[in-house]
Amino acid sequence: MTAARTAADILSARERVETGEVPTERGACWVLTASFQGQRSFPITQAVFTVGRGSDVHLQLDDLGVSRRHALLRVIEGRLFIEDLSSVNGTFVNGEKIDRPYTLRSGDELRIGKCELRVGIRSPRRELAECPTQPIPCLASGSQASPMASLSPRERELLPLLAGGLSQRELAHELGVTVKTIETYRTRIGHKLGLTSRAELIRFALDNGLLSSD
């Protein structure tokens, strides 16, 4: 009887892994990726994770259509659940408004106000996800905003290094990360700033006082 239950439990766990219902790698965690402002990612690092417009939530969304405490996510035995906190405009999963706790899977799309988020699983071997405490706007900044304002703190830190004399491989070795991580940041920075070549990146860094012209 015990053996039968153990086999069933193993099969059930395997099915949850194959369907993207639980993380597969030790140390992996659930993550929400915003589909605006450069695909910014926010890890769900607490068993109870709140989303809303207020300043006392884990992920703050700067959108008037979002309630101060809009939705709640829970991680239970590796599985991720979401429930609406009686918000004014509701919480949507894959286009459907939810009215009870809902089990999420990797790849699910959330809509909270005008903000769209994709559910995923972050491997610990990938670059560190950005801090979720910074409010994120649902609409792009106006034309008068500084181009640097669109970059995350980590991207602003890496920009002058990417524009410097080191190759991506040398920079990856210097920072103790993979070349793929450096390439990812280079692509994201270029996309946000509208820069398509290293020469344009260097010129941008010089024009904004991030590099010495000597």
Side-chain angles (χ1 to χ4, degrees), residues 126-205:
R126 293 181 60 183
E127 71 270 22
L128 292 176
E130 295 158 11
C131 177
T133 57
Q134 180 181 355
I136 54 179
C138 79
L139 299 176
S141 301
S143 58
Q144 295 180 346
S146 167
M148 292 290 289
S150 67
L151 302 182
S152 70
R154 181 61 168 165
E155 289 165 348
R156 288 195 291 271
E157 177 185 347
L158 286 176
L159 195 157
L161 300 178
L162 288 166
L166 295 179
S167 67
Q168 290 187 353
R169 186 173 299 277
E170 291 170 332
L171 184 55
H173 178 74
E174 185 76 17
L175 298 177
V177 298
T178 66
V179 175
K180 180 63 176 177
T181 296
I182 298 299
E183 290 175 350
T184 298
Y185 274 110
R186 168 67 183 86
T187 299
R188 285 160 52 178
I189 291 171
H191 176 74
K192 290 183 179 182
L193 299 179
L195 308 175
T196 59
S197 68
R198 182 185 174 104
E200 291 179 352
L201 188 70
I202 293 172
R203 172 51 55 190
F204 179 90

Side-chain angles (χ1 to χ4, degrees), residues 102-140:
Y102 185 94
T103 304
L104 294 170
R105 299 172 186 267
S106 180
D108 281 347
E109 299 280 357
L110 308 181
R111 180 161 58 84
I112 299 176
K114 294 181 181 179
C115 302
E116 296 181 348
L117 302 159
R118 176 182 290 271
V119 178
I121 296 173
R122 170 59 54 87
S123 164
R125 292 177 295 181
R126 293 181 60 183
E127 71 270 22
L128 292 176
E130 295 158 11
C131 177
T133 57
Q134 180 181 355
I136 54 179
C138 79
L139 299 176

Side-chain angles (χ1 to χ4, degrees), residues 17 22-30 78 121-126:
V17 166
V22 296
T24 60
E25 183 180 353
R26 173 175 293 184
C29 69
W30 291 99
I121 296 173
R122 170 59 54 87
S123 164
R125 292 177 295 181
R126 293 181 60 183

Side-chain angles (χ1 to χ4, degrees), residues 41-148:
S41 297
F42 304 90
I44 300 175
T45 55
Q46 291 85 13
V48 177
F49 188 90
T50 51
V51 180
R53 186 165 49 86
S55 59
D56 58 341
V57 297
H58 296 98
L59 176 55
Q60 186 179 10
L61 302 176
D62 187 13
D63 174 17
L64 293 178
V66 176
S67 298
R68 295 185 64 82
R69 290 177 62 85
H70 194 107
L72 178 72
L73 294 107
R74 297 181 188 272
V75 179
I76 302 175
E77 297 182 349
R79 303 173 72 184
L80 181 63
F81 301 83
I82 186 170
E83 60 182 288
D84 184 78
L85 297 178
S86 300
S87 65
V88 174
N89 294 316
T91 299
F92 294 79
V93 179
N94 299 325
E96 297 290 333
K97 187 176 181 179
I98 61 172
D99 57 5
R100 59 177 58 88
Y102 185 94
T103 304
L104 294 170
R105 299 172 186 267
S106 180
D108 281 347
E109 299 280 357
L110 308 181
R111 180 161 58 84
I112 299 176
K114 294 181 181 179
C115 302
E116 296 181 348
L117 302 159
R118 176 182 290 271
V119 178
I121 296 173
R122 170 59 54 87
S123 164
R125 292 177 295 181
R126 293 181 60 183
E127 71 270 22
L128 292 176
E130 295 158 11
C131 177
T133 57
Q134 180 181 355
I136 54 179
C138 79
L139 299 176
S141 301
S143 58
Q144 295 180 346
S146 167
M148 292 290 289

